Amino acid sequence: MAATVAQGAPGIPARWTSSAKSGVGTALSEASRIWFTISHGIVNEIYYPRLDKACTRDMGLIVTGAAGTFSEEKRDAVHAVAPFQDGVPGYRLTNTATDGSYRIEKRIVTDPKRPVLLQEIAFTALKGRPADYRVYALLAPHLVNAGMGNTAWVGEHHGRPVLFASGRGTCLALASSLPWGACSAGYVGFSDGWQQLQHGGALDPACQRAEDGNVALTGEIGFSAGNGTALLALGFGSSPEEAAEMASASLEQGFDAAARTYVENWREWQAGLLKLDRQSVTGLNTYRASTAVLASHLSVARPGAAVASLSIPWGFNKGDDDLGGYHLIWPRDLVETAGGFLAAGDGSQALQILTYLRSIQQPDGHWPQNAWSDGTAYWPGIQMDECAFPLLLADALRRTGHLPHAKLAEFLPMIESAAAYVVRNGPVTGEDRWEEDAGYSPFTLAVEIAALLAAADMLDIMGKTEPANYLRETADCWNDQIERWTYVAGTPLCAELGVNGYYVRIAPPDASDAASPKDGYVPIKNRPPTDTDRPAEAIISPDALALVRFGLRAADDPRILDTLKVIDARLRRDLPQGPLWYRYSGDGYGEHEDGSPFDGTGLGRAWPLLAGERAHYELAAGHRDRAESLLATLEASAGVGGLLPEQVWDGPDLPQRELRLGAPSGSAMPLVWAHAEHIKLVRSLRDGAVFDLPPQGVERYIKARTTSPRRIWRFNNKIRAIPAGKMLRVELAAKGVVHWSSDKWLTVRDDRTAENAFGVHLVDLPVDRLPQGSTIVFTFFWPDTGRWEKVDFTVGVDAQS
């Protein structure tokens, strides 16, 4: 091995870093193509050339003193962070050593003209002389979502020392305006600069290259008594030369010129939004902070794409096996993000999101559970709310004037395809909105039904009356059965809390061994294998409030009011900032009781997002004061820098794990969905009405009290009973003849199906006059293949509604 190659290959297993971000940012510029995050006073993940490709773990400073002291600013300093201006995600960081020996001040932006992160760093000795200290930049490359398999080296560009790294076809180059002193490239945990300075007090000049491993770069910044400010430029490119050229060009331009354009771009965008500004007790403009979070998560390469979060939950405990983190596209989160833009007055961005969603819609009409920004699916699940949400977005844009008739016509194929998928595959979902269980979810049902009504209105506008009527018929049928599927009464919990009944979190799909879905068992994810299944009636969730949010049930419906009592009795947690709620009883997605990170099991913690959803319910119920109080609670749940976390810690303070009661936990931060909910809540309170409430369900089910004259049987939803007085609609995927009887085959009828505009073959069986207790038995003949189904199916007639 050559003397210039570091020892210890390939280094310790790679890990990401804390998800407790205090800032996220990007230049609103197509030329920049990088996104950055900060926490603990330093830069964390930097994404290039797409916002779903993390290329660094972190970059911070190490300070050594004349007496052999070793200080790492992210661990051994007190951190303060402030944005340049309201709604401008350029940051001023101040890190003061806990022993009072030094202060580091940073200004951080990305260069709007090129893919370069700029840090202007000022070092001040608070004890002793500047010459007593040496300051080193420590950079951990994790090129293209992986910490292993990187190569780092100390090189030159145009005669000046530059620190380089490459991996998976992408390169970075770190350059300094002040001359680099000693530099090294090593393997993390063995020969990296941290190890060298901690144990030897100096960098090893023999460590000039580290290949194919978990690597780190370290360089001494040439501070002197006469020059205590340096500009570091971290450039990216497809080759080392390109990355170094980008960094050098930014250094030559200087920080102020880049920062000026950076700020101007953000101020111009913010100026076009509605003025809904709110000042927190710390002086932060929370509304502008939320709008900046939304815009900072937008793609440049694929306009309209926005990831769920530029973070990896419990990243310090995760390695290369978690490629996606939360920097993926979830269609549900993306529609919520679009709603935030729309509420803030940026309808054009919301329309761009709808355009992007159209581009990644699958041929059969559904959207992937989540995907990379180029549309490539990541997880394989299908969530029916995600297949329906884009329909609600399209209709919201139509109702706000951003999708006029001509534009609506362009999106008609997307709308028809999505509506067809929902009606063919709902109402049961393969996974609920928490990515876990299959069955009948009140939240998913509310989204599906509201989306079908919205799609029907849009089809009517386009002159497609018959398909529109079919969508409404299906929506009516599903809406009628929400309580049969998800509402329980007479349970032990009802007796304990003095309520008549309540909506459950989710009921499993119909099974022959259960009288109804809500009598079945639900396997709770993220729990030990021996402690999973729970009766559906024992699992409570705030998800039922979606029935009000999407206009299917009135806020004062007695069933909703009883459910609220159960939710608050089981899921509410009063914290220093106010009340927050858990996702559902028995949730395992969160830290363990001792604060150790989620590792596939744990205990679910309180979600600030759910305070926003509850506030919207309170506003719908006419309780404006409660909604305003919950808005304050939501805002007070933010971490340093005003970013909203996915979850907050609900246990005693654990300083050693950086967990404090009511403060962000180790889950994702920021959660873009939560910031979108915050913006919508601010807008809703200004308007005095829930901003994103679809009007169709309110008109049809709350005001007109529309019910359905039928029930629907399908192979993917084999109902076992219908109420007396209802017709039975049979829906098939292919042309068929329904061979049926209502008197044990004494008499028989054959009814042919007819195909509708969505490719559904259906027929209504006139069984609405059969008395309670009757049984309908049927099978199928398939004309296209000339065969019989050879299985009899039965549906009973009972009094259940």
Side-chain angles (χ1 to χ4, degrees):
M1 180 175 291
T4 58
V5 176
Q7 302 296 306
I12 62 174
R15 291 291 182 266
W16 292 99
T17 190
S18 171
S19 60
K21 309 305 180 188
S22 52
V24 295
T26 187
L28 294 178
S29 163
E30 293 185 7
S32 187
R33 293 181 294 141
I34 62 172
W35 297 257
F36 69 94
T37 66
I38 57 175
S39 76
H40 298 80
I42 68 170
V43 171
N44 292 156
E45 295 97 345
I46 302 171
Y47 296 82
Y48 165 87
R50 298 185 345 201
L51 77 171
D52 53 9
K53 293 185 177 295
C55 289
T56 66
R57 180 187 190 273
D58 58 15
M59 179 170 63
L61 302 181
I62 294 174
V63 179
T64 60
T69 59
F70 174 96
S71 177
E72 189 176 10
E73 63 172 339
K74 72 178 180 181
R75 291 187 174 92
D76 304 318
V78 177
H79 312 117
V81 58
F84 279 12
Q85 299 176 17
D86 286 344
V88 178
Y91 298 95
R92 294 184 177 88
L93 308 183
T94 303
N95 301 328
T96 305
T98 52
D99 64 4
S101 59
Y102 65 82
R103 180 175 63 246
I104 295 169
E105 297 169 284
K106 303 178 183 178
R107 293 195 295 164
I108 302 175
V109 298
T110 59
D111 187 341
K113 294 183 178 179
R114 51 190 68 89
V116 178
L117 178 85
L118 293 171
Q119 293 191 77
E120 182 189 71
I121 302 173
F123 179 82
T124 302
L126 301 178
K127 292 181 180 179
R129 304 169 302 153
D132 295 336
Y133 300 91
R134 293 179 181 273
V135 182
Y136 300 85
L138 175 64
L139 169 63
H142 271 45
L143 286 158
V144 195
N145 293 329
M148 304 304 293
N150 293 282
T151 295
W153 69 97
V154 179
E156 290 186 351
H157 180 69
H158 294 168
R160 299 182 61 179
V162 174
L163 306 181
F164 291 98
S166 65
R168 284 156 289 278
T170 298
C171 300
L172 61 78
L174 179 61
S176 172
S177 63
L178 297 180
W180 287 117
C183 297
S184 80
Y187 294 102
V188 174
F190 293 94
S191 55
D192 62 277
W194 192 96
Q195 297 288 337
Q196 296 170 29
L197 294 170
Q198 171 74 285
H199 301 298
L203 295 181
D204 183 352
C207 294
Q208 298 291 291
R209 186 177 184 88
E211 298 181 346
D212 193 21
N214 181 13
V215 300
L217 289 158
T218 311
E220 181 184 353
I221 303 172
F223 290 121
S224 64
N227 199 339
T229 300
L231 178 59
L232 299 187
L234 181 59
F236 293 84
S238 58
S239 68
E241 293 76 18
E242 181 184 7
E245 192 62 40
M246 294 294 107
S248 297
S250 289
L251 284 182
E252 184 176 350
Q253 171 188 253
F255 185 88
D256 288 340
R260 186 164 50 250
T261 303
Y262 186 99
V263 170
E264 288 172 355
N265 288 350
W266 275 100
R267 289 185 65 183
E268 181 182 358
W269 179 73
Q270 291 279 3
L273 303 181
L274 295 176
K275 292 178 172 55
L276 303 174
D277 302 63
R278 288 176 53 84
Q279 296 296 132
S280 71
V281 293
T282 62
L284 183 73
N285 189 320
T286 59
Y287 167 69
R288 296 294 173 181
S290 284
T291 56
V293 167
L294 263 61
S296 293
H297 285 74
L298 287 169
S299 172
V300 172
R302 292 295 298 268
V307 297
S309 178
L310 289 172
S311 70
I312 300 171
W314 301 284
F316 58 87
N317 198 50
K318 294 182 178 179
D320 291 356
D321 54 340
D322 187 9
L323 294 178
Y326 272 23
H327 44 274
L328 293 160
I329 311 293
W330 271 266
R332 170 183 49 255
D333 293 52
L334 188 54
V335 171
E336 299 284 8
T337 299
F341 281 115
L342 195 58
D346 192 347
S348 62
Q349 183 59 63
L351 179 58
Q352 200 165 60
I353 288 174
L354 184 67
T355 303
Y356 168 78
L357 283 166
R358 178 178 61 181
S359 74
I360 68 167
Q361 186 181 28
Q362 302 301 292
D364 64 356
H366 88 278
W367 277 271
Q369 178 180 0
N370 55 19
W372 299 105
S373 60
D374 65 4
T376 303
Y378 185 61
W379 288 344
I382 294 179
Q383 300 172 7
M384 292 302 297
D385 67 318
E386 292 195 308
C387 301
F389 259 123
L391 293 169
L392 291 176
L393 175 56
D395 192 57
L397 287 165
R398 175 190 67 82
R399 289 184 284 105
T400 53
H402 299 288
L403 208 61
H405 191 277
K407 196 72 175 177
L408 181 62
E410 296 178 19
F411 284 90
L412 187 60
M414 182 205 84
I415 293 166
E416 290 180 310
S417 182
Y421 188 87
V422 172
V423 295
R424 288 197 308 265
N425 294 279
V428 169
T429 183
E431 291 181 350
D432 64 344
R433 71 164 170 167
W434 304 122
E435 331 252 13
E436 295 180 359
D437 287 309
Y440 297 95
S441 156
F443 184 92
T444 301
L445 287 166
V447 177
E448 289 175 313
I449 293 166
L452 292 182
L453 296 179
D457 279 6
M458 290 184 283
L459 291 178
D460 264 342
I461 291 171
M462 302 309 296
K464 294 179 174 282
T465 303
E466 184 177 344
N469 288 338
Y470 171 72
L471 295 183
R472 293 191 185 100
E473 290 172 354
T474 303
D476 293 347
C477 183
W478 292 356
N479 181 69
D480 271 4
Q481 298 179 85
I482 290 175
E483 282 69 36
R484 186 181 81 82
W485 291 325
T486 66
Y487 185 81
V488 297
T491 70
L493 190 56
C494 291
E496 177 186 343
L497 299 178
V499 298
N500 293 321
Y502 51 87
Y503 293 95
V504 300
R505 172 207 164 200
I506 194 168
D510 291 272
S512 58
D513 57 349
S516 72
K518 60 197 177 191
D519 294 324
Y521 281 76
V522 173
I524 300 180
K525 301 296 192 296
N526 305 315
R527 297 190 64 84
T530 58
D531 185 28
T532 57
D533 287 6
R534 295 284 192 282
E537 68 178 35
I539 308 175
I540 316 302
S541 172
D543 285 4
L545 298 185
L547 298 172
V548 177
R549 182 70 172 267
F550 294 98
L552 308 188
R553 298 294 180 270
D556 61 354
D557 187 308
R559 296 166 297 195
I560 294 292
L561 296 177
D562 276 354
T563 302
L564 280 173
K565 294 176 183 177
V566 178
I567 289 170
D568 286 347
R570 287 292 185 265
L571 302 177
R572 173 172 165 154
R573 178 64 190 274
D574 291 322
L575 294 166
Q577 63 267 46
L580 294 180
W581 286 264
Y582 300 109
R583 296 193 303 174
Y584 56 84
S585 45
D587 186 9
Y589 183 57
E591 283 91 351
H592 291 269
E593 190 171 0
D594 63 358
S596 57
F598 173 76
D599 56 3
T601 64
L603 296 174
R605 307 295 169 176
W607 284 57
L609 165 70
L610 298 178
E613 293 187 352
R614 178 60 172 265
H616 271 109
Y617 165 79
E618 298 293 355
L619 184 60
H623 307 145
R624 183 183 179 90
D625 55 338
R626 297 182 193 174
E628 289 177 339
S629 177
L630 285 168
L631 172 59
T633 297
L634 175 60
E635 293 174 337
S637 298
V640 177
L643 304 187
L644 291 169
E646 181 180 65
Q647 302 178 46
V648 301
W649 178 245
D650 57 357
D653 291 356
L654 297 174
Q656 72 276 19
R657 294 192 182 275
E658 298 185 349
L659 295 172
R660 182 172 53 84
L661 181 65
S665 73
S667 58
M669 187 166 80
L671 184 65
V672 179
W673 181 3
H675 282 279
E677 182 74 1
H678 173 243
I679 294 168
K680 287 189 279 188
L681 182 54
V682 173
R683 173 69 183 271
S684 296
L685 283 166
R686 192 206 73 166
D687 295 350
V690 176
F691 172 74
D692 57 355
L693 173 66
Q696 293 91 346
V698 175
E699 294 295 326
R700 194 169 184 86
Y701 302 131
I702 298 176
K703 294 182 180 179
R705 299 183 179 275
T706 302
T707 60
S708 173
R710 62 180 58 81
R711 293 292 181 263
I712 299 172
W713 186 99
R714 300 174 178 162
F715 274 96
N716 66 345
N717 190 28
K718 301 185 186 78
I719 62 173
R720 293 183 299 277
I722 63 172
K726 302 288 185 183
M727 291 185 293
L728 178 63
R729 172 168 286 181
V730 176
E731 296 189 349
L732 305 174
K735 181 169 59 176
V737 177
V738 183
H739 183 72
W740 66 281
S741 174
S742 60
D743 55 10
K744 300 181 181 181
W745 299 115
L746 293 176
T747 60
V748 177
R749 282 190 55 167
D750 288 327
D751 287 322
R752 294 182 176 273
T753 62
E755 185 177 7
N756 69 9
F758 298 105
V760 177
H761 298 259
L762 60 88
V763 62
D764 285 332
L765 305 185
V767 297
D768 49 310
R769 295 187 179 182
L770 292 179
Q772 182 180 338
S774 300
T775 299
I776 306 159
V777 59
F778 54 94
T779 189
F780 303 103
F781 177 74
W782 306 104
D784 289 344
T785 58
R787 67 177 182 86
W788 287 90
E789 184 65 22
K790 296 182 180 179
V791 176
D792 287 347
F793 303 93
T794 61
V795 174
V797 179
D798 60 24
Q800 188 177 16
S801 62

